[in-house]
Amino acid sequence: MLDRGHEPGILRHVDVLKLAADEAAALGVASEAAGLASLGVGEVVLTLGSRGALVVADGRAARVEIEPLEVADTTGAGDAFAAAYLALRQAGAEPVEAGRAAAAVVGRLLA
């Protein structure tokens, strides 16, 4: 597990990093584009629960907005988002497009 004491060089081997807000905080990184870009990973996706996600890729940042859902149990939502996002990227989707589609997948799973 990465935390504030992690070896920064380890992330140079990572192509895509998906973090939740609490994970970004554990790394000591602000939950905004500049903080995420400071990790040195080419593509970072920060999931923000009911507030959507932030995709930072190719030097650009874009918010992924979602329709608010009222759900009691969000167990597995982050894993489902990551799986959908990576599958879509592998299939050729652009980062923001993959983020929007992954958020839609999670929304359908939780509805």
Side-chain angles (χ1 to χ4, degrees):
M1 178 176 153
L2 294 176
D3 58 26
R4 290 178 195 227
H6 77 280
E7 170 60 41
I10 198 167
L11 292 177
R12 75 174 181 267
H13 303 289
V14 176
D15 294 322
V16 178
L17 179 63
K18 184 268 181 207
L19 297 169
D22 59 336
E23 294 166 330
L27 287 172
V29 176
S31 296
E32 33 97 328
L36 298 172
S38 75
L39 292 170
V41 176
E43 194 168 324
V44 180
V45 181
L46 178 72
T47 55
L48 301 166
S50 64
R51 295 177 291 133
L54 177 62
V55 177
V56 179
D58 303 321
R60 295 181 308 234
R63 283 292 309 256
V64 173
E65 303 293 334
I66 63 168
E67 291 294 322
L69 294 172
E70 290 191 32
V71 295
D73 186 4
T74 60
T75 302
D79 293 333
F81 183 99
Y85 183 87
L86 291 173
L88 288 156
R89 290 291 286 130
Q90 182 66 32
E94 293 297 319
V96 174
E97 176 188 2
R100 288 186 181 120
V105 165
V106 172
R108 286 191 299 277
L109 289 173
L110 294 177

mmCIF file of all heavy atoms in Angstrom, residues 82-107:
data_model
loop_
_atom_site.group_PDB
_atom_site.id
_atom_site.type_symbol
_atom_site.label_atom_id
_atom_site.label_comp_id
_atom_site.label_asym_id
_atom_site.label_seq_id
_atom_site.Cartn_x
_atom_site.Cartn_y
_atom_site.Cartn_z
ATOM 1 N N ALA A 82 -12.736 1.064 -11.871
ATOM 2 C CA ALA A 82 -11.388 0.797 -12.379
ATOM 3 C C ALA A 82 -11.423 -0.238 -13.504
ATOM 4 O O ALA A 82 -10.767 -0.062 -14.545
ATOM 5 C CB ALA A 82 -10.482 0.330 -11.251
ATOM 6 N N ALA A 83 -12.180 -1.302 -13.327
ATOM 7 C CA ALA A 83 -12.256 -2.345 -14.347
ATOM 8 C C ALA A 83 -12.862 -1.804 -15.646
ATOM 9 O O ALA A 83 -12.333 -2.053 -16.735
ATOM 10 C CB ALA A 83 -13.072 -3.525 -13.828
ATOM 11 N N ALA A 84 -13.950 -1.066 -15.523
ATOM 12 C CA ALA A 84 -14.589 -0.505 -16.719
ATOM 13 C C ALA A 84 -13.669 0.510 -17.389
ATOM 14 O O ALA A 84 -13.517 0.504 -18.618
ATOM 15 C CB ALA A 84 -15.922 0.146 -16.341
ATOM 16 N N TYR A 85 -13.040 1.365 -16.603
ATOM 17 C CA TYR A 85 -12.149 2.388 -17.149
ATOM 18 C C TYR A 85 -11.010 1.738 -17.931
ATOM 19 O O TYR A 85 -10.726 2.106 -19.077
ATOM 20 C CB TYR A 85 -11.592 3.259 -16.022
ATOM 21 C CG TYR A 85 -10.716 4.383 -16.514
ATOM 22 C CD1 TYR A 85 -11.274 5.601 -16.885
ATOM 23 C CD2 TYR A 85 -9.340 4.234 -16.622
ATOM 24 C CE1 TYR A 85 -10.481 6.635 -17.347
ATOM 25 C CE2 TYR A 85 -8.537 5.259 -17.086
ATOM 26 C CZ TYR A 85 -9.114 6.454 -17.449
ATOM 27 O OH TYR A 85 -8.312 7.472 -17.918
ATOM 28 N N LEU A 86 -10.352 0.766 -17.322
ATOM 29 C CA LEU A 86 -9.219 0.115 -17.987
ATOM 30 C C LEU A 86 -9.648 -0.657 -19.227
ATOM 31 O O LEU A 86 -8.950 -0.645 -20.247
ATOM 32 C CB LEU A 86 -8.486 -0.791 -17.009
ATOM 33 C CG LEU A 86 -7.743 -0.055 -15.896
ATOM 34 C CD1 LEU A 86 -7.198 -1.049 -14.877
ATOM 35 C CD2 LEU A 86 -6.622 0.817 -16.463
ATOM 36 N N ALA A 87 -10.796 -1.316 -19.177
ATOM 37 C CA ALA A 87 -11.288 -2.036 -20.350
ATOM 38 C C ALA A 87 -11.569 -1.065 -21.497
ATOM 39 O O ALA A 87 -11.223 -1.340 -22.655
ATOM 40 C CB ALA A 87 -12.542 -2.826 -19.996
ATOM 41 N N LEU A 88 -12.160 0.065 -21.172
ATOM 42 C CA LEU A 88 -12.471 1.057 -22.193
ATOM 43 C C LEU A 88 -11.207 1.687 -22.769
ATOM 44 O O LEU A 88 -11.105 1.907 -23.974
ATOM 45 C CB LEU A 88 -13.386 2.133 -21.606
ATOM 46 C CG LEU A 88 -14.807 1.641 -21.347
ATOM 47 C CD1 LEU A 88 -15.479 2.476 -20.274
ATOM 48 C CD2 LEU A 88 -15.598 1.663 -22.642
ATOM 49 N N ARG A 89 -10.233 1.956 -21.928
ATOM 50 C CA ARG A 89 -8.961 2.520 -22.412
ATOM 51 C C ARG A 89 -8.266 1.512 -23.318
ATOM 52 O O ARG A 89 -7.742 1.865 -24.362
ATOM 53 C CB ARG A 89 -8.057 2.915 -21.243
ATOM 54 C CG ARG A 89 -8.550 4.118 -20.477
ATOM 55 C CD ARG A 89 -8.445 5.417 -21.292
ATOM 56 N NE ARG A 89 -7.046 5.823 -21.356
ATOM 57 C CZ ARG A 89 -6.417 6.138 -22.486
ATOM 58 N NH1 ARG A 89 -7.049 6.113 -23.654
ATOM 59 N NH2 ARG A 89 -5.149 6.486 -22.463
ATOM 60 N N GLN A 90 -8.284 0.246 -22.913
ATOM 61 C CA GLN A 90 -7.668 -0.804 -23.727
ATOM 62 C C GLN A 90 -8.359 -0.910 -25.088
ATOM 63 O O GLN A 90 -7.726 -1.209 -26.096
ATOM 64 C CB GLN A 90 -7.734 -2.148 -22.991
ATOM 65 C CG GLN A 90 -7.090 -3.289 -23.724
ATOM 66 C CD GLN A 90 -5.585 -3.138 -23.878
ATOM 67 O OE1 GLN A 90 -4.925 -2.564 -23.039
ATOM 68 N NE2 GLN A 90 -5.053 -3.646 -24.974
ATOM 69 N N ALA A 91 -9.659 -0.644 -25.102
ATOM 70 C CA ALA A 91 -10.433 -0.716 -26.350
ATOM 71 C C ALA A 91 -10.267 0.536 -27.206
ATOM 72 O O ALA A 91 -10.824 0.612 -28.298
ATOM 73 C CB ALA A 91 -11.907 -0.941 -26.028
ATOM 74 N N GLY A 92 -9.511 1.529 -26.705
ATOM 75 C CA GLY A 92 -9.229 2.717 -27.509
ATOM 76 C C GLY A 92 -9.943 3.985 -27.102
ATOM 77 O O GLY A 92 -9.769 5.018 -27.747
ATOM 78 N N ALA A 93 -10.742 3.950 -26.055
ATOM 79 C CA ALA A 93 -11.440 5.163 -25.612
ATOM 80 C C ALA A 93 -10.432 6.165 -25.055
ATOM 81 O O ALA A 93 -9.414 5.792 -24.466
ATOM 82 C CB ALA A 93 -12.467 4.819 -24.540
ATOM 83 N N GLU A 94 -10.707 7.431 -25.259
ATOM 84 C CA GLU A 94 -9.891 8.502 -24.680
ATOM 85 C C GLU A 94 -10.143 8.536 -23.169
ATOM 86 O O GLU A 94 -11.192 8.083 -22.703
ATOM 87 C CB GLU A 94 -10.255 9.840 -25.314
ATOM 88 C CG GLU A 94 -9.875 9.940 -26.777
ATOM 89 C CD GLU A 94 -8.376 9.840 -27.003
ATOM 90 O OE1 GLU A 94 -7.608 10.439 -26.218
ATOM 91 O OE2 GLU A 94 -7.970 9.151 -27.954
ATOM 92 N N PRO A 95 -9.216 9.100 -22.382
ATOM 93 C CA PRO A 95 -9.358 9.079 -20.928
ATOM 94 C C PRO A 95 -10.684 9.638 -20.397
ATOM 95 O O PRO A 95 -11.335 8.994 -19.569
ATOM 96 C CB PRO A 95 -8.171 9.913 -20.444
ATOM 97 C CG PRO A 95 -7.137 9.721 -21.500
ATOM 98 C CD PRO A 95 -7.917 9.663 -22.788
ATOM 99 N N VAL A 96 -11.088 10.799 -20.849
ATOM 100 C CA VAL A 96 -12.325 11.389 -20.319
ATOM 101 C C VAL A 96 -13.540 10.580 -20.758
ATOM 102 O O VAL A 96 -14.455 10.344 -19.973
ATOM 103 C CB VAL A 96 -12.457 12.869 -20.739
ATOM 104 C CG1 VAL A 96 -13.806 13.442 -20.322
ATOM 105 C CG2 VAL A 96 -11.330 13.686 -20.126
ATOM 106 N N GLU A 97 -13.529 10.119 -21.997
ATOM 107 C CA GLU A 97 -14.616 9.267 -22.489
ATOM 108 C C GLU A 97 -14.705 7.994 -21.640
ATOM 109 O O GLU A 97 -15.799 7.568 -21.245
ATOM 110 C CB GLU A 97 -14.347 8.913 -23.947
ATOM 111 C CG GLU A 97 -15.339 7.970 -24.572
ATOM 112 C CD GLU A 97 -14.921 7.510 -25.959
ATOM 113 O OE1 GLU A 97 -13.838 7.881 -26.438
ATOM 114 O OE2 GLU A 97 -15.698 6.739 -26.550
ATOM 115 N N ALA A 98 -13.567 7.396 -21.335
ATOM 116 C CA ALA A 98 -13.544 6.187 -20.505
ATOM 117 C C ALA A 98 -14.053 6.491 -19.106
ATOM 118 O O ALA A 98 -14.768 5.688 -18.509
ATOM 119 C CB ALA A 98 -12.129 5.610 -20.451
ATOM 120 N N GLY A 99 -13.690 7.653 -18.560
ATOM 121 C CA GLY A 99 -14.160 8.048 -17.231
ATOM 122 C C GLY A 99 -15.666 8.207 -17.187
ATOM 123 O O GLY A 99 -16.324 7.738 -16.249
ATOM 124 N N ARG A 100 -16.219 8.845 -18.195
ATOM 125 C CA ARG A 100 -17.674 9.031 -18.239
ATOM 126 C C ARG A 100 -18.398 7.694 -18.368
ATOM 127 O O ARG A 100 -19.385 7.441 -17.693
ATOM 128 C CB ARG A 100 -18.050 9.956 -19.390
ATOM 129 C CG ARG A 100 -17.675 11.387 -19.136
ATOM 130 C CD ARG A 100 -18.183 12.318 -20.225
ATOM 131 N NE ARG A 100 -17.765 13.667 -19.915
ATOM 132 C CZ ARG A 100 -16.999 14.416 -20.699
ATOM 133 N NH1 ARG A 100 -16.593 13.960 -21.868
ATOM 134 N NH2 ARG A 100 -16.655 15.630 -20.330
ATOM 135 N N ALA A 101 -17.886 6.847 -19.235
ATOM 136 C CA ALA A 101 -18.526 5.547 -19.436
ATOM 137 C C ALA A 101 -18.393 4.672 -18.195
ATOM 138 O O ALA A 101 -19.339 3.971 -17.819
ATOM 139 C CB ALA A 101 -17.933 4.855 -20.657
ATOM 140 N N ALA A 102 -17.237 4.706 -17.548
ATOM 141 C CA ALA A 102 -17.036 3.916 -16.316
ATOM 142 C C ALA A 102 -17.977 4.401 -15.212
ATOM 143 O O ALA A 102 -18.552 3.597 -14.483
ATOM 144 C CB ALA A 102 -15.585 3.996 -15.856
ATOM 145 N N ALA A 103 -18.162 5.710 -15.109
ATOM 146 C CA ALA A 103 -19.090 6.245 -14.122
ATOM 147 C C ALA A 103 -20.510 5.789 -14.413
ATOM 148 O O ALA A 103 -21.272 5.466 -13.500
ATOM 149 C CB ALA A 103 -19.011 7.780 -14.107
ATOM 150 N N ALA A 104 -20.874 5.718 -15.693
ATOM 151 C CA ALA A 104 -22.208 5.253 -16.076
ATOM 152 C C ALA A 104 -22.379 3.780 -15.718
ATOM 153 O O ALA A 104 -23.447 3.365 -15.231
ATOM 154 C CB ALA A 104 -22.445 5.475 -17.558
ATOM 155 N N VAL A 105 -21.336 2.983 -15.908
ATOM 156 C CA VAL A 105 -21.396 1.569 -15.560
ATOM 157 C C VAL A 105 -21.657 1.420 -14.063
ATOM 158 O O VAL A 105 -22.531 0.662 -13.628
ATOM 159 C CB VAL A 105 -20.090 0.847 -15.946
ATOM 160 C CG1 VAL A 105 -19.979 -0.519 -15.285
ATOM 161 C CG2 VAL A 105 -19.987 0.719 -17.467
ATOM 162 N N VAL A 106 -20.912 2.166 -13.267
ATOM 163 C CA VAL A 106 -21.080 2.088 -11.812
ATOM 164 C C VAL A 106 -22.470 2.555 -11.411
ATOM 165 O O VAL A 106 -23.114 1.953 -10.552
ATOM 166 C CB VAL A 106 -19.980 2.893 -11.083
ATOM 167 C CG1 VAL A 106 -20.275 2.981 -9.583
ATOM 168 C CG2 VAL A 106 -18.624 2.252 -11.315
ATOM 169 N N GLY A 107 -22.947 3.614 -12.052
ATOM 170 C CA GLY A 107 -24.295 4.095 -11.756
ATOM 171 C C GLY A 107 -25.347 3.023 -11.999
ATOM 172 O O GLY A 107 -26.263 2.850 -11.197
#
